[in-house]
Amino acid sequence: MSPTAPKTRSRPDAAAAFFGDLASRRHEPLLHHATGTVRFDLRDGEAVEHWCLTMVKGDVSVSRRNAKADATIRMDKKLFEGMTRGTVNLTASLLRGLLGVDGDLGLLVVFDRLLPGPRRSRASFLERQEALAG
Amino acid sequence: MSTDVVKILDGNTFVVSDGRGDIEASLSDPTGLFSFDTRFLSKWVLTVNGERLDALSTDDLQYFEARFFLVPGTGTVYVDAELSVIRRRVVANGFHEELVILNHGADPVDLEVRIEAGSDFADLFEVKDALKKKGTYERVVDGECLKLKYRRQTFQRETWIIASSPAAVDEDGLTFTATVKGHGRWSTELEVTTVQAAMEPILRRASVPRQRAKVADSMAKNLASWVDGAPRLECDNDPLKVTYRRSLVDLAALRFVAPILPKHALPAAGLPWFMTMFGRDSIFTSLQALPFTPDLAATTLRALGARQGTRLDDFRDEDPGRILHEVRYGELTAFEERPHSPYYGCADATPLYVVLMDEYERWTGDTRLVRELEYEARAALTWIDEYADLQGNGYISYKRRNEKTGLENQCWKDSWDSISFRDGTLPGFPRATCELQGYAYDAKVRGARLARTVWHDSGLADRLEKEAADLKRRFNRDFWIENGQYFAVALDEEGRQVDTLTSNIGHLLWSGIVDKSKAKAVAAHLMGSRLFSGWGIRTLAEGEGRFNPIGYHVGTVWPFDSSFIAWGLRRYGFKREAAQIAEGILAAAEFFDGRLPEAFGGYPRTMTKYPVQYPTACSPQAWSTGAPLLLLRTMLGLEPMGDHLVVDPVLPESIGRMELLDIPGRWGRIDAFGRGRIDPARADRRSRGSR
């Protein structure tokens, strides 16, 4: 299967944005324990997008290859995009049977650390901080 | 639960049955086969020629294996001793059951042996709270195999039942027909497998791969090497030896392999409700067990570190740096009807994480792990100041953000009425309970030591030391109740002292936050008749508005609590008092055959003569199992000092001579000896100086 090029949409591609941002960081301390490659196979209708995340003690690189990986995770692209926006929880999705996982589950738990929480939770935290300061 | 309940377990798979080996669970009854928080069998009933069986005896000496010796008939009129039935069950990713029927008569007997099976696939939370299911059930006869299925959207759980000998399989069970000749024998083996389709990779990792036929063998070997690896206890006091062995075996039984760390085990919290990773319980138990099985601490640190909070999530009460409270794998968690994926609503596990890391290094010298987890330790220390100070007053306090299914009390006394004023009224939120400040202080002091000696960051060390000193000064001013001469259990949302006298003040001694000048008064309260029952320390003092000797956190004695209080008393030099608590708790353990329950009644020892068990207490429970271990450490006065282990024994007379041999640590292996000289009945209440 050849990687599909991201389609042009009115809405920016959240998966591409997420991995783009991650790649630009080069080093992410939250990943410092992990060494290995995780491949995400994201289903978008008939097509499957591949994203390969390679972690070496916090150093990260991203590619679109359909490469062999230490862990492979299959899911709907929409679900993944929800995770990158903080509206979908990875662990609950896994328990619900929405993810297919092969290989080292530990890497999935490491990846989970990168996902944001709900936007509203962040906003209410900032409000509380302001109230304390004020 | 009735007294003839038989529990066997392996990691987070466990079977609870009646004394015959049968399971007939109602929705609210925690019997059945459970795995990953889901009930996979709620019915499992054996009949022979249409008759239920009667138990002659039950043997569950191994935690993962039980044997039931049965005869047909319910025993009301007479027992037909012509036949006997032996049922042997071993837990492992489901369970394996061997059925043997012996014909003692000279004539052949025709047998119809039937197993009725069924499952409600209840989430453990549903059992606990008696909730209704939302998915659909199916029963499928697939050749020789009976498959019980449950499905809710993409969530699927199945139980497969198959026998080693030919059986007539129907949707409700399996039937065997056989003729057993005189003095003959018939047998079959049943395999019950739990299937969690999407969870397979998790399961494969969580259960050690085993040859089914050798399951019991390999588990027995594993247990033997676990017990052999721990120090050996020699003493005059036989019950203490029983309790020690029971503790080691139960700790082995409660070992839980987190799916994310397949090769390592950490303590789960307790059977039947809490066979999962709990931040607080795993940390406290690891601390208690450090001189005996230090590997538990290493796994606890790694597993909790891997799941440390990284984002703000109000539903899960998650913050960056926060150590989790509880993980669950059942249906309600999957559908986010409960927040345990993981849930982070506890305020003490995070500072305690740093405390455990430092204590672990002091014992083992394993600086590699401390370097490996530097990021997590720093994040935990940051959480104390950045996320836990909800009132901006320099104290950790808690207030749940998940107001529907989150925990109100995020301290170890987590029931709704545990924190109250003397007149019984409940304070508002946020609440800053006192022991949280003690843990925070200790975390800063110990974090400073790690920063200086392992991470080589003297800037951080200086800052933490300064903050710790400041916290101690403020705490001794703001929490001290001058006219009572003890520390308030909490400050409420307006900073008022919540003025009840509680066991929490003992944790303050353990953490070291108490000014030396106040320690004597605190120790006197702990050992006074309002808190000390003769067995251990009551959670809430007699005479307080909500005191109830069988109230969960408002008057019962928790062995774990008492063990840390004894450690605290030792820390401030009250050696005799520590020995007195050790004597009480270990004497109580004798009444439970060496297995201390989660809690027991706070009645005076002189009144009941035996400890009254709390009605729904978990047993075995990890931190109760750990309590005798910590008390041994406390009595022997074991304290790592650089590369040496200091031994300074002060033992109650009843213990007699005691030797703890081959204590592992950075010194290799060391022996400790002690002789009982303290008579608790004539214990000297005066302070014995301080450290």
Side-chain angles (χ1 to χ4, degrees):
Chain A
M1 218 179 296
S2 67
T4 337
K7 290 173 196 150
T8 323
R9 297 178 179 190
S10 52
R11 200 168 162 187
D13 184 319
F18 176 82
F19 282 115
D21 173 58
L22 191 55
S24 71
R25 266 183 268 174
R26 299 231 176 126
H27 187 84
E28 172 49 66
L30 281 170
L31 305 179
H32 71 104
H33 288 303
T35 294
T37 300
V38 187
R39 196 185 75 223
F40 295 86
D41 296 348
L42 308 179
R43 275 187 310 268
D44 188 1
E46 292 295 298
V48 177
E49 266 181 31
H50 304 290
W51 291 91
C52 248
L53 171 63
T54 301
M55 305 175 265
V56 182
K57 293 185 175 173
D59 292 339
V60 283
S61 58
V62 174
S63 82
R64 300 292 307 272
R65 289 181 307 127
N66 181 9
K68 204 164 169 274
D70 303 295
T72 313
I73 294 143
R74 296 173 303 280
M75 67 178 112
D76 279 336
K77 186 174 177 188
K78 272 210 185 83
L79 190 77
F80 184 81
E81 294 189 324
M83 290 178 190
T84 65
R85 291 198 190 95
T87 55
V88 172
N89 181 269
L90 188 147
T91 303
S93 305
L94 178 70
L95 294 177
R96 216 146 66 222
L98 293 170
L99 311 185
V101 185
D102 283 315
D104 185 352
L105 186 79
L107 290 175
L108 183 64
V109 174
V110 170
F111 172 77
D112 189 13
R113 304 181 90 171
L114 298 173
L115 297 173
R119 212 167 279 172
R120 208 157 17 127
S121 298
R122 176 98 214 141
S124 63
F125 172 73
L126 294 173
E127 280 164 27
R128 287 193 303 274
Q129 293 295 97
E130 258 173 49
L132 275 182
Chain B
M1 282 192 281
S2 67
T3 48
D4 65 351
V5 157
V6 177
K7 302 178 261 193
I8 52 173
L9 73 154
D10 175 36
N12 71 0
T13 301
F14 60 91
V15 187
V16 184
S17 71
D18 66 21
R20 297 173 286 194
D22 285 346
I23 296 163
E24 290 171 283
S26 63
L27 183 59
S28 60
D29 169 18
T31 60
L33 160 65
F34 290 88
S35 181
F36 281 89
D37 306 322
T38 298
R39 177 151 61 197
F40 283 85
L41 276 182
S42 52
K43 184 171 197 185
W44 185 255
V45 173
L46 174 66
T47 53
V48 175
N49 293 337
E51 271 188 298
R52 295 290 291 268
L53 303 165
D54 196 25
L56 295 181
S57 78
T58 304
D59 160 12
D60 61 342
L61 286 177
Q62 309 258 46
Y63 64 79
F64 49 82
E65 177 185 16
R67 240 175 299 206
F68 307 88
F69 296 89
L70 313 167
V71 289
T74 46
T76 46
V77 184
Y78 70 101
V79 167
D80 178 4
E82 291 286 286
L83 289 179
S84 52
V85 180
I86 303 166
R87 212 171 178 181
R88 177 172 175 257
R89 183 179 293 159
V90 178
V91 184
N93 186 22
F95 66 74
H96 178 89
E97 187 163 311
E98 187 186 48
L99 281 180
V100 177
I101 302 184
L102 303 172
N103 178 5
H104 304 301
D107 301 324
V109 178
D110 291 329
L111 291 181
E112 187 185 272
V113 179
R114 178 157 176 88
I115 288 276
E116 288 270 332
S119 178
D120 62 0
F121 292 98
D123 184 313
L124 208 52
F125 282 125
E126 293 168 311
V127 180
K128 222 175 160 185
D129 300 338
L131 301 173
K132 286 262 175 287
K133 300 292 293 181
K134 292 180 178 165
T136 52
Y137 296 92
E138 205 186 342
R139 292 156 170 271
V140 180
V141 177
D142 185 358
E144 302 268 275
C145 185
L146 171 60
K147 294 182 175 173
L148 311 171
K149 301 184 174 192
Y150 177 77
R151 185 185 183 100
R152 175 174 167 194
Q153 298 169 28
T154 46
F155 180 90
Q156 294 176 61
R157 298 291 183 265
E158 301 183 5
T159 308
W160 294 2
I161 303 155
I162 194 161
S164 64
S165 51
V169 183
D170 60 71
E171 290 181 4
D172 296 312
L174 293 80
T175 307
F176 305 88
T177 44
T179 304
V180 188
K181 54 186 183 192
H183 304 294
R185 175 184 193 275
W186 173 87
S187 74
T188 192
E189 290 180 32
L190 291 152
E191 197 73 55
V192 180
T193 311
T194 60
V195 181
Q196 319 188 40
M199 298 261 291
E200 275 314 297
I202 303 178
L203 269 177
R204 274 204 304 274
R205 290 175 171 282
S207 58
V208 183
R210 296 180 188 117
Q211 295 269 332
R212 275 310 172 94
K214 294 178 184 160
V215 166
D217 264 10
S218 74
M219 290 174 92
K221 269 188 204 135
N222 176 297
L223 176 59
S225 78
W226 165 265
V227 172
D228 284 350
R232 202 167 77 245
L233 178 72
E234 297 290 343
C235 64
D236 296 338
N237 184 299
D238 285 335
L240 180 58
K241 281 200 272 192
V242 171
T243 298
Y244 180 62
R245 195 185 152 80
R246 183 84 257 172
S247 292
L248 289 178
V249 171
D250 282 349
L251 212 49
L254 291 166
R255 281 176 302 172
F256 167 76
V257 178
I260 48 171
L261 281 173
K263 292 191 192 95
H264 306 277
L266 70 158
L271 194 71
W273 303 117
F274 306 116
M275 286 311 295
T276 184
M277 183 153 79
F278 267 78
R280 173 190 306 130
D281 297 56
S282 299
I283 291 172
F284 273 129
T285 309
S286 298
L287 279 165
Q288 292 169 319
L290 249 179
F292 304 86
T293 58
D295 290 353
L296 286 180
T299 312
T300 297
L301 290 166
R302 283 206 180 93
L304 293 178
R307 276 299 200 172
Q308 185 173 39
T310 51
R311 57 201 154 221
L312 288 153
D313 182 340
D314 290 350
F315 177 61
R316 294 172 181 80
D317 279 318
E318 178 176 355
D319 305 312
R322 195 167 189 176
I323 295 299
L324 67 86
H325 175 57
E326 180 181 356
V327 190
R328 293 290 186 175
Y329 304 91
E331 181 181 341
L332 298 193
T333 305
F335 286 93
E336 298 182 277
E337 289 159 352
R338 292 294 162 98
H340 300 79
S341 47
Y343 180 57
Y344 288 86
C346 79
D348 50 10
T350 310
L352 289 171
Y353 182 79
V354 182
V355 170
L356 175 62
M357 192 179 296
D358 176 66
E359 189 69 10
Y360 170 76
E361 198 282 332
R362 291 177 68 232
W363 277 86
T364 61
D366 182 1
T367 49
R368 226 183 85 186
L369 187 69
V370 176
R371 274 195 298 272
E372 185 188 316
L373 296 173
E374 177 180 347
Y375 181 90
E376 284 73 14
R378 285 175 181 261
L381 287 162
T382 302
W383 178 83
I384 295 172
D385 301 321
E386 300 288 316
Y387 296 95
D389 181 3
L390 301 184
Q391 304 176 83
N393 60 1
Y395 295 120
I396 294 187
S397 55
Y398 58 81
K399 179 185 183 181
R400 63 177 177 177
R401 312 205 291 276
N402 174 347
E403 291 188 352
K404 246 175 102 181
T405 49
L407 274 175
E408 280 196 296
N409 273 322
Q410 304 191 347
C411 51
W412 85 260
K413 294 177 180 175
D414 58 4
S415 55
W416 67 277
D417 62 347
S418 65
I419 308 297
S420 61
F421 287 96
R422 298 205 65 182
D423 65 3
T425 51
L426 301 175
F429 296 95
R431 289 177 187 170
T433 53
C434 65
E435 81 289 356
L436 296 175
Q437 320 317 321
Y439 303 155
Y441 167 79
D442 202 17
K444 285 174 188 286
V445 171
R446 289 169 181 269
R449 192 189 77 87
L450 294 175
R452 206 176 296 287
T453 59
V454 184
W455 307 326
H456 304 297
D457 181 347
S458 57
L460 175 65
D462 290 346
R463 178 169 69 75
L464 288 171
E465 276 162 4
K466 207 167 137 266
E467 288 170 0
D470 176 57
L471 173 58
K472 184 172 181 171
R473 187 180 44 75
R474 286 185 290 112
F475 178 83
N476 279 276
R477 178 192 67 204
D478 298 343
F479 280 72
W480 185 247
I481 299 175
E482 190 58 47
N483 60 13
Q485 294 290 294
Y486 62 89
F487 289 97
V489 68
L491 298 185
D492 75 358
E493 78 282 15
E494 286 169 33
R496 285 178 302 206
Q497 293 181 341
V498 181
D499 55 358
T500 40
L501 176 63
T502 61
S503 65
N504 300 45
I505 59 174
H507 288 241
L508 298 175
L509 293 178
W510 171 55
S511 69
I513 198 172
V514 175
D515 278 345
K516 252 188 206 170
S517 59
K518 297 186 167 76
K520 204 169 136 184
V522 170
H525 277 294
L526 287 166
M527 302 315 292
S529 63
R530 290 183 63 206
L531 276 175
F532 186 55
S533 77
W535 301 109
I537 309 297
R538 297 184 182 98
T539 39
L540 181 64
E542 250 180 1
E544 299 296 3
R546 284 187 181 268
F547 173 77
N548 172 358
I550 45 165
Y552 199 52
H553 292 127
V554 291
T556 52
V557 171
W558 287 58
F560 118 83
D561 190 29
S562 290
S563 72
F564 278 88
I565 293 168
W567 189 1
L569 287 163
R570 242 341 279 218
R571 178 170 182 163
Y572 277 82
F574 302 103
K575 301 175 188 180
R576 301 173 65 92
E577 289 78 356
Q580 211 179 333
I581 291 176
E583 190 280 328
I585 295 291
L586 292 171
E590 276 184 50
F591 289 88
F592 301 109
D593 295 326
R595 176 184 281 171
L596 285 161
E598 176 182 43
F600 53 83
Y603 302 104
R605 184 173 177 175
T606 47
M607 184 174 103
T608 60
K609 308 290 182 200
Y610 59 89
V612 176
Q613 191 160 1
Y614 179 80
T616 62
C618 271
S619 180
Q621 199 192 36
W623 62 13
S624 291
T625 299
L629 303 181
L630 177 51
L631 292 171
L632 286 178
R633 170 190 176 168
T634 305
M635 287 189 293
L636 287 169
L638 305 180
E639 204 57 51
M641 203 70 88
D643 283 336
H644 303 281
L645 181 66
V646 174
V647 181
D648 179 15
V650 178
L651 273 61
E653 232 170 29
S654 58
I655 300 282
R657 177 194 55 90
M658 179 161 92
E659 302 173 0
L660 192 63
L661 307 173
D662 290 328
I663 305 164
R666 55 200 303 162
W667 40 80
R669 294 258 178 182
I670 276 182
D671 302 338
F673 304 91
R675 180 178 288 280
R677 296 183 195 284
I678 305 295
D679 179 0
R682 286 185 284 115
D684 184 355
R685 294 276 165 77
R686 283 173 309 144
S687 103
R688 305 266 303 169
S690 59
R691 188 161 104 172

